[in-house]
Amino acid sequence: MMGGGGGTKRPPPDPVAVLRAHRTAVTALAFHAASSFLISGDADGELKIWDLVKRKPSICARVHSPAAGVIGIGTTPVLENKIISQGRDGTVKCWEFREDSLSRKPLFTIRTGSYHFCKLCLSRPVMWGRPHRSSRESADMKSDTSGDWDVSDQSFSPEQRLEETSAMMQNCHLGMRDQQGIPLHDIDETSLEFSDSTAHLQENSANAGEVACSQTGDLQQRLLSKEDPVILKECTGSLSAESSCDGRGRVLMAIAGNDTSSVEVWDVDGGTKVSQLRQSIHEIQGSSTSLSDQPKAAGMCMAVQIFSPPESGGFLNVIAGFEDGSIAVWDLRNSKEPSIKVKLHSEPVLSIAFDGPCNGGVSGAADEKIVFFTLDYQRNTCLIKQEITHGRPGIADICIRGDGKILATAGWDHRVRIYDYHRRRPLAILKYHSDGVSAVAFSNDYRILASASMDATVALWSLYPPN
């Protein structure tokens, strides 16, 4: 296959390193928000904190029982050297770690009573990279298409694998600096030919995806000041209605509720539940409008995100994906029922990721597509920008890189797929894992992508490095 510049496209790269200390399926993954450590959790309840220079775990600890496992990990700069772990035993625990040790007992335990597979989400200050180039500016830039990766889902020779791996291993950051990846802004649109016969793009009309959305507000005011630190303490009672939805200066956690069709919001400071969000049984926009159809419940909450939209003054919203393929959004200032409900998928929504400014994001499900959407806070609408069908069911996790240029998906089909977030185009299919990929995460400096799998490994990739 030839790119726009006449060069032959390279096959997708192999991982620059594979971390193998887990004995069971790796189910959760996160880079620590205040350091370069990688944290992983497995189905046996073990948590490992990795030294990426030595490529070995510096800390190993059992934080939940083997029957519960670790299903979620949370970090945020506000919590500094604290880590939140979530088990399927209805508990969320907070741990303190130093360079070579983890606290023997949790600092506190929140007993949510929620037994499910929906991963928690912590509110956090979202830092955004430098302004992005527009599509026009990107198209005008000179592109080195000779380095583009082939995005067809085909195998490639061991010789090619060896050559690619050697090149990356010699140029790694944190013991794994940049490999020969092409910066995303240098990729010309004409070079992104997608040759997988099962993959195609479906562009929706501008009006097709418009749904009612809540009035929301300013990202800058959401950023937490150093004068307002979070102090971990015991529960001191319920919060006022106004303070319960304000994300400034503290950490709130969204999690699927004890009633699995609801979402709960907890104050991590005090271990206090501040809100329970329910989806009323009304017709969901995007589903059938026939009078003969009876309204149905949305089913279990499968994915959740908590975020502060532009111009909200720090007040938080929650978005959740449900078993029937719908998503719902609540403004915590008026949380009696969702301000937006729309059906995006034909199967359960498994993952949702928001971009840095919280203007939009991507959803994945048990069906064969991902959906790009944006939120228009001036018109109070949600617009489905595009659907990409990749031909294979199941997206367990999605992560948008911090600079907003690319995103990664974790597939049931053992593959990690990379997309251009702004152009909404496929870039590469990464193949290493021998079982389903359960989680993906980008490092804080945007240089490393980590993927966790049910095959008990964590793969590290270096591709499309930032400028």
Side-chain angles (χ1 to χ4, degrees), residues 316-344:
L316 296 169
N317 281 20
V318 171
I319 184 170
F322 289 90
E323 193 175 4
D324 68 343
S326 67
I327 63 169
V329 179
W330 291 265
D331 184 336
L332 295 187
R333 290 169 292 184
N334 182 20
S335 59
K336 292 183 178 179
E337 63 178 8
S339 55
I340 171 176
K341 293 186 292 184
V342 60
K343 189 166 184 176
L344 299 181

Side-chain angles (χ1 to χ4, degrees), residues 254-272:
I255 191 170
N258 188 19
D259 172 2
T260 56
S261 64
S262 68
V263 179
E264 295 176 355
V265 179
W266 289 73
D267 177 20
V268 174
D269 282 8
T272 308

Side-chain angles (χ1 to χ4, degrees), residues 172-190:
C172 51
H173 175 75
L174 293 175
M176 299 163 295
R177 293 191 181 276
D178 293 350
Q179 50 86 34
Q180 300 173 18
I182 305 303
L184 185 61
H185 68 269
D186 286 341
I187 300 174
D188 189 89
E189 292 187 25
T190 60

Side-chain angles (χ1 to χ4, degrees), residues 74-355:
T75 73
T76 174
V78 182
L79 291 179
E80 297 178 341
N81 63 332
K82 312 296 191 302
I83 299 172
I84 304 294
S85 69
Q86 175 193 9
R88 198 169 177 260
D89 54 1
T91 64
V92 173
K93 302 177 182 181
C94 180
W95 308 86
E96 183 177 21
F97 87 97
R98 297 180 179 86
E99 289 187 3
D100 57 354
S101 65
L102 193 71
S103 54
R104 298 187 65 180
K105 294 183 178 180
L107 299 180
F108 62 83
T109 298
I110 298 176
R111 302 189 182 278
T112 66
S114 304
Y115 303 88
H116 50 73
F117 290 99
C118 179
K119 298 180 180 182
L120 62 81
C121 180
L122 300 181
S123 63
R124 65 188 66 193
V126 180
M127 303 303 292
W128 201 239
R130 67 176 122 186
H132 306 301
R133 294 181 175 89
S134 67
S135 298
R136 180 181 298 273
E137 289 172 325
S138 296
D140 289 341
M141 296 186 66
K142 183 177 180 180
S143 174
D144 179 10
T145 57
S146 62
D148 290 351
W149 282 314
D150 185 0
V151 294
S152 59
D153 193 0
Q154 304 293 332
S155 60
F156 44 96
S157 70
E159 291 79 14
Q160 290 173 313
R161 284 182 185 272
L162 181 61
E163 180 181 356
E164 188 70 29
T165 304
S166 299
M168 288 185 292
M169 294 293 284
Q170 293 171 4
N171 300 281
C172 51
H173 175 75
L174 293 175
M176 299 163 295
R177 293 191 181 276
D178 293 350
Q179 50 86 34
Q180 300 173 18
I182 305 303
L184 185 61
H185 68 269
D186 286 341
I187 300 174
D188 189 89
E189 292 187 25
T190 60
S191 69
L192 294 171
E193 302 173 54
F194 194 54
S195 59
D196 189 340
S197 60
T198 62
H200 67 275
L201 305 181
Q202 179 180 346
E203 188 77 49
N204 292 280
S205 67
N207 297 325
E210 292 190 0
V211 292
C213 184
S214 62
Q215 182 76 31
T216 47
D218 192 29
L219 173 69
Q220 296 301 324
Q221 295 185 39
R222 182 188 178 193
L223 301 180
L224 305 179
S225 66
K226 295 181 179 178
E227 291 73 28
D228 191 12
V230 167
I231 301 175
L232 300 176
K233 57 183 181 293
E234 296 182 357
C235 175
T236 57
S238 60
L239 300 171
S240 68
E242 183 73 8
S243 66
S244 68
C245 58
D246 189 346
R248 292 171 296 184
R250 62 202 182 99
V251 179
L252 296 183
M253 174 182 70
I255 191 170
N258 188 19
D259 172 2
T260 56
S261 64
S262 68
V263 179
E264 295 176 355
V265 179
W266 289 73
D267 177 20
V268 174
D269 282 8
T272 308
K273 183 166 67 175
V274 300
S275 185
Q276 185 165 23
L277 311 174
R278 299 181 183 275
Q279 182 168 195
S280 57
I281 304 178
H282 293 306
E283 183 182 341
I284 296 174
Q285 189 162 348
S287 60
S288 174
T289 58
S290 170
L291 294 177
S292 62
D293 291 336
Q294 297 297 320
K296 297 180 180 180
M300 294 177 61
C301 175
M302 308 293 287
V304 65
Q305 291 284 310
I306 184 168
F307 63 100
S308 179
E311 301 177 3
S312 71
F315 291 102
L316 296 169
N317 281 20
V318 171
I319 184 170
F322 289 90
E323 193 175 4
D324 68 343
S326 67
I327 63 169
V329 179
W330 291 265
D331 184 336
L332 295 187
R333 290 169 292 184
N334 182 20
S335 59
K336 292 183 178 179
E337 63 178 8
S339 55
I340 171 176
K341 293 186 292 184
V342 60
K343 189 166 184 176
L344 299 181
H345 296 272
S346 59
E347 298 290 341
V349 177
L350 303 177
S351 50
I352 302 172
F354 260 89
D355 59 24

